[in-house]
Amino acid sequence: MSTAQSAADPLAELFAASPRHFADSPLYTRLGRVVAADERLLAIARHARSGQLPSNLLFASVHYLLLRDPAQELAAWYPSTGREPAAGDPGPAFTAFCLSRREEIIELMRRRLVQTNVVKRSILLRLGMTVVASMTDEPVMLIEVGSSAGVHLRFDDYRYEIGGRTWGRASSPVVVAAEWRGDGPPPDLGPLPAIADRAGIDLNPIDAGDPDERLWLRALIWPENLAQAALQDEALRAVAANRPRTYAGDAVDLLPEVAAEVPRGAPIVIFHSATRLHVATERREAFDAAIAGAGREHDLFHLSFEGARDLGTDAFALELSRGGEPVRRLAIGHGHAEWLSDSGPGRPRVR
Ligand SMILES: C[S@@+](CC[C@H](N)C(=O)[O-])C[C@H]1O[C@@H](n2cnc3c(N)ncnc32)[C@H](O)[C@@H]1O
């Protein structure tokens, strides 16, 4: 086995950092170290599509192949495959699988994108829209940038549970529960604005009704996270039954066109979560400018749930601005919205 020089190789360093990036996945934490130390596996990971995180893509590609063929020896380390769990080190089985299925893995890594559609992040849109409702009486156009399969665009069909309170559609099979870790009372998920129209923009919109695309979304979820997978199934069913309009392409190019469909002066809410962080660094200025541009002829509310410099790597911030002026930070939360808070150790209060 050839050994990778992790100090000199950013890709090896990325995999070596798996305990941080995949903190909720004991399997990926272990496998990350295996890949970081093996040049043959790193060589496969180097085929990741440009701009995509190679570690997420490699793990998801292997997971996808195992979900299609759970009889593989390696599948026994993946709780998602329903196999009797294997004990011991998954490293040798993982390495053997990757080397024997190298071409299929590379083909997936070249073609697919990291587009995990985290249903629980709908609670951030729900919270933000409540605040928008307190600021305008007019019907709003909702545009989600990076909408993936569109599960957030049906946010008002779901039931929400936080801090012992419930909100939203009580009978919904999609139940979004987040732990409240704030010092103050949990947020109010009260009345929503009227929604005049809604649309998603994504580089590659996922068809919620297509079994193969659903399998890829399933493969993007950590193998241990059975609850997230079950919630995703429910949400995808809801979306497939009532598909939101979605535009395929780069938001930088498409936002001006989509915003132009909205009557002048009317309110537009542009929402994105875990999307800007996937935009290549050199494109971020254009991405921000495309969003700001929608405010030239409209009453623009910009709602984002992304990483923030002042937070740790495990937390995102929900920020709201109007017409380019910050309104306030509405919440901070776990990147997958497992918990929300209004403050925290070393973190600023948000209201
Ligand atoms: C990690 S996924 C997050 C999906 C969803 N926002 C969520 O929070 O569940 C990021 C999504 O953003 C899309 N994306 C990235 N850059 C984009 C761009 N410039 N324009 C449109 N979509 C983009 C990707 O295709 C992908 O579906």
Side-chain angles (χ1 to χ4, degrees), residues 53-98:
L53 274 173
S55 47
N56 292 58
L57 267 187
L58 175 66
F59 289 149
S61 299
V62 171
H63 193 194
Y64 170 86
L65 293 173
L66 295 175
L67 290 168
R68 279 210 327 209
D69 183 6
Q72 293 292 324
E73 182 198 351
L74 177 61
W77 275 275
Y78 284 65
S80 51
T81 61
R83 288 272 302 274
E84 201 57 38
D89 181 3
F94 181 82
T95 304
F97 185 84
C98 288

XYZ file of all heavy atoms in Angstrom, residues 53-98:
349
model
N -17.241 18.721 -3.011
C -16.401 18.194 -1.931
C -16.083 16.721 -2.192
O -16.980 15.872 -2.167
C -17.134 18.324 -0.600
C -16.998 19.664 0.126
C -17.905 19.709 1.334
C -15.540 19.901 0.517
N -14.800 16.391 -2.443
C -14.460 15.007 -2.808
C -14.822 13.989 -1.725
O -15.187 12.861 -2.047
C -12.940 15.057 -3.005
C -12.608 16.482 -3.218
C -13.627 17.274 -2.463
N -14.710 14.374 -0.443
C -14.995 13.388 0.611
C -16.481 13.033 0.593
O -16.852 11.848 0.618
C -14.551 13.916 1.978
O -14.993 15.240 2.172
N -17.363 14.041 0.508
C -18.800 13.753 0.445
C -19.122 12.913 -0.791
O -19.912 11.969 -0.730
C -19.614 15.054 0.383
C -19.535 15.841 1.670
O -18.450 16.208 2.094
N -20.662 16.092 2.294
N -18.483 13.268 -1.924
C -18.798 12.562 -3.173
C -18.325 11.109 -3.145
O -19.041 10.211 -3.598
C -18.146 13.269 -4.361
C -18.974 14.318 -5.098
C -18.222 14.768 -6.341
C -20.352 13.810 -5.491
N -17.119 10.881 -2.633
C -16.614 9.500 -2.594
C -17.492 8.654 -1.671
O -17.939 7.557 -2.054
C -15.156 9.470 -2.113
C -14.598 8.051 -1.926
C -14.504 7.311 -3.255
C -13.215 8.062 -1.260
N -17.767 9.153 -0.475
C -18.566 8.356 0.466
C -19.977 8.122 -0.082
O -20.534 7.040 0.055
C -18.619 9.030 1.838
C -17.308 8.987 2.592
C -16.944 10.008 3.466
C -16.431 7.928 2.424
C -15.738 9.962 4.157
C -15.224 7.873 3.106
C -14.877 8.893 3.973
N -20.554 9.148 -0.709
C -21.917 8.986 -1.239
C -21.937 8.009 -2.416
O -22.877 7.222 -2.562
C -22.485 10.337 -1.661
N -20.895 8.032 -3.248
C -20.862 7.132 -4.408
C -20.784 5.677 -3.954
O -21.491 4.808 -4.486
C -19.668 7.467 -5.315
O -19.786 8.793 -5.789
N -19.945 5.412 -2.957
C -19.848 4.049 -2.422
C -21.184 3.655 -1.771
O -21.709 2.554 -2.004
C -18.687 3.963 -1.402
C -18.708 2.632 -0.668
C -17.347 4.170 -2.114
N -21.754 4.581 -1.014
C -23.027 4.307 -0.330
C -24.132 3.983 -1.346
O -24.913 3.047 -1.167
C -23.397 5.538 0.510
C -24.494 5.319 1.497
N -25.136 6.355 2.133
C -25.094 4.199 1.956
C -26.051 5.875 2.936
N -26.061 4.570 2.852
N -24.146 4.743 -2.441
C -25.153 4.539 -3.501
C -25.033 3.121 -4.083
O -26.036 2.407 -4.245
C -24.916 5.598 -4.579
C -25.696 5.430 -5.860
C -26.981 5.941 -5.991
C -25.130 4.778 -6.951
C -27.689 5.800 -7.176
C -25.826 4.639 -8.135
C -27.105 5.148 -8.250
O -27.801 5.003 -9.411
N -23.797 2.698 -4.353
C -23.607 1.355 -4.927
C -24.025 0.275 -3.927
O -24.590 -0.753 -4.313
C -22.139 1.166 -5.345
C -21.689 2.060 -6.513
C -20.185 1.922 -6.753
C -22.464 1.718 -7.800
N -23.799 0.526 -2.640
C -24.181 -0.473 -1.620
C -25.699 -0.517 -1.424
O -26.266 -1.585 -1.184
C -23.495 -0.156 -0.290
C -21.970 -0.278 -0.300
C -21.400 0.191 1.040
C -21.532 -1.722 -0.585
N -26.342 0.640 -1.530
C -27.809 0.648 -1.399
C -28.433 -0.130 -2.560
O -29.467 -0.783 -2.412
C -28.341 2.088 -1.364
C -28.015 2.880 -0.101
C -28.327 4.367 -0.290
C -28.794 2.355 1.099
N -27.772 -0.075 -3.719
C -28.280 -0.831 -4.883
C -27.969 -2.314 -4.759
O -28.663 -3.143 -5.340
C -27.629 -0.289 -6.166
C -28.295 0.953 -6.672
C -28.213 1.115 -8.159
N -26.982 0.588 -8.726
C -26.409 1.058 -9.819
N -26.954 2.071 -10.449
N -25.317 0.530 -10.287
N -26.917 -2.631 -4.009
C -26.476 -4.025 -3.925
C -26.034 -4.346 -2.491
O -24.841 -4.499 -2.201
C -25.304 -4.221 -4.906
C -24.836 -5.657 -4.938
O -25.488 -6.519 -4.303
O -23.807 -5.921 -5.597
N -27.019 -4.483 -1.572
C -26.670 -4.656 -0.153
C -26.058 -6.016 0.170
O -25.672 -6.247 1.317
C -28.011 -4.469 0.577
C -29.067 -4.402 -0.460
C -28.456 -4.364 -1.813
N -25.934 -6.890 -0.830
C -25.302 -8.195 -0.566
C -23.777 -8.070 -0.460
O -23.100 -8.998 -0.019
C -25.658 -9.179 -1.672
N -23.216 -6.933 -0.864
C -21.763 -6.738 -0.789
C -21.272 -6.856 0.657
O -21.943 -6.382 1.577
C -21.400 -5.345 -1.322
C -21.652 -5.154 -2.791
C -20.717 -5.986 -3.649
O -19.548 -6.174 -3.307
N -21.238 -6.500 -4.744
N -20.084 -7.425 0.835
C -19.526 -7.598 2.187
C -19.480 -6.256 2.939
O -19.859 -6.161 4.104
C -18.113 -8.180 2.073
C -17.466 -8.430 3.427
C -15.950 -8.582 3.351
O -15.410 -8.664 2.221
O -15.318 -8.594 4.427
N -19.047 -5.211 2.237
C -18.903 -3.900 2.888
C -20.230 -3.372 3.451
O -20.256 -2.642 4.439
C -18.324 -2.896 1.862
C -18.167 -1.455 2.316
C -17.201 -1.337 3.511
C -17.690 -0.569 1.166
N -21.344 -3.762 2.849
C -22.655 -3.234 3.246
C -22.975 -3.541 4.713
O -23.778 -2.839 5.339
C -23.743 -3.789 2.335
N -22.337 -4.555 5.266
C -22.622 -4.927 6.656
C -22.167 -3.843 7.646
O -22.594 -3.841 8.793
C -21.962 -6.256 6.989
N -21.314 -2.926 7.205
C -20.908 -1.815 8.099
C -21.825 -0.605 7.930
O -21.647 0.397 8.588
C -19.460 -1.411 7.821
C -18.485 -2.267 8.568
C -18.043 -2.100 9.853
C -17.818 -3.433 8.066
N -17.157 -3.081 10.183
C -16.992 -3.923 9.101
C -17.843 -4.129 6.862
C -16.197 -5.050 8.975
C -17.051 -5.243 6.718
C -16.245 -5.699 7.770
N -22.787 -0.703 7.002
C -23.668 0.429 6.703
C -25.066 0.150 7.266
O -25.840 -0.632 6.666
C -23.759 0.642 5.181
C -22.532 1.290 4.591
C -21.288 0.643 4.592
C -22.595 2.557 4.021
C -20.163 1.245 4.052
C -21.468 3.166 3.477
C -20.259 2.505 3.496
O -19.151 3.107 2.970
N -25.445 0.779 8.388
C -26.762 0.528 8.981
C -27.913 0.766 7.988
O -28.961 0.134 8.087
C -26.827 1.527 10.146
C -25.403 1.816 10.482
C -24.642 1.710 9.198
N -27.702 1.647 7.026
C -28.752 1.973 6.048
C -29.126 0.804 5.154
O -30.180 0.804 4.521
C -28.261 3.111 5.162
O -26.977 2.774 4.667
N -28.258 -0.221 5.050
C -28.542 -1.329 4.134
C -29.392 -2.408 4.792
O -29.764 -3.385 4.138
C -27.229 -1.973 3.611
O -26.514 -2.487 4.742
C -26.382 -0.984 2.854
N -29.641 -2.259 6.110
C -30.501 -3.221 6.796
C -29.808 -4.541 7.079
O -30.446 -5.509 7.489
N -28.485 -4.597 6.864
C -27.750 -5.842 7.111
C -27.472 -6.019 8.593
O -27.408 -5.062 9.355
C -26.416 -5.802 6.353
C -26.544 -5.954 4.852
C -26.517 -7.407 4.423
N -25.296 -8.094 4.846
C -24.156 -8.105 4.163
N -24.051 -7.450 3.012
N -23.092 -8.775 4.608
N -27.291 -7.263 9.003
C -26.813 -7.580 10.357
C -25.471 -6.863 10.522
O -24.569 -7.053 9.689
C -26.631 -9.094 10.426
C -26.634 -9.711 11.797
C -27.884 -9.426 12.591
O -28.994 -9.409 12.011
O -27.732 -9.187 13.781
N -25.313 -5.982 11.549
C -24.089 -5.171 11.583
C -22.826 -6.005 11.781
O -22.812 -6.948 12.562
C -24.307 -4.246 12.786
C -25.572 -4.662 13.432
C -26.246 -5.702 12.621
N -21.773 -5.638 11.041
C -20.478 -6.320 11.168
C -19.671 -5.659 12.277
O -19.828 -4.469 12.531
C -19.719 -6.203 9.854
N -18.823 -6.434 12.924
C -17.931 -5.870 13.938
C -16.544 -5.731 13.309
O -16.279 -6.291 12.247
C -17.874 -6.791 15.142
N -15.694 -4.961 13.971
C -14.306 -4.875 13.506
C -14.082 -3.719 12.553
O -14.941 -2.855 12.372
N -12.941 -3.766 11.924
C -12.446 -2.652 11.116
C -13.060 -2.696 9.701
O -12.849 -3.657 8.958
C -10.921 -2.782 11.036
C -10.288 -1.657 10.237
O -11.023 -0.750 9.806
O -9.051 -1.708 10.047
N -13.801 -1.636 9.300
C -14.367 -1.643 7.944
C -13.336 -1.296 6.871
O -13.622 -1.413 5.670
C -15.433 -0.527 8.018
C -14.913 0.421 9.066
C -14.143 -0.416 10.059
N -12.132 -0.868 7.293
C -11.134 -0.358 6.344
C -10.808 -1.328 5.214
O -10.880 -0.952 4.032
N -10.431 -2.590 5.529
C -10.052 -3.508 4.437
C -11.198 -3.752 3.449
O -10.970 -3.756 2.229
C -9.672 -4.793 5.186
C -9.249 -4.308 6.546
C -10.127 -3.132 6.860
N -12.430 -3.908 3.948
C -13.564 -4.150 3.029
C -13.831 -2.902 2.190
O -14.152 -2.993 0.997
C -14.809 -4.535 3.827
N -13.692 -1.705 2.796
C -13.906 -0.457 2.066
C -12.864 -0.316 0.951
O -13.193 -0.006 -0.201
C -13.832 0.737 3.026
C -14.060 2.072 2.362
C -15.347 2.522 2.110
C -12.991 2.876 1.984
C -15.565 3.753 1.483
C -13.199 4.102 1.367
C -14.489 4.537 1.119
N -11.611 -0.575 1.304
C -10.529 -0.429 0.324
C -10.730 -1.419 -0.829
O -10.647 -1.041 -2.011
C -9.163 -0.676 1.015
O -9.076 0.232 2.119
C -8.004 -0.444 0.070
N -11.041 -2.663 -0.490
C -11.229 -3.682 -1.535
C -12.402 -3.301 -2.441
O -12.321 -3.430 -3.676
C -11.477 -5.044 -0.878
N -13.488 -2.801 -1.846
C -14.657 -2.415 -2.642
C -14.299 -1.266 -3.596
O -14.617 -1.307 -4.788
C -15.805 -2.001 -1.714
C -17.082 -1.692 -2.448
C -17.958 -2.706 -2.811
C -17.410 -0.380 -2.781
C -19.132 -2.426 -3.505
C -18.580 -0.091 -3.477
C -19.445 -1.118 -3.842
N -13.632 -0.261 -3.062
C -13.293 0.910 -3.899
C -12.374 0.511 -5.057
O -12.526 1.012 -6.180
C -12.612 1.992 -3.067
S -13.728 2.841 -1.956
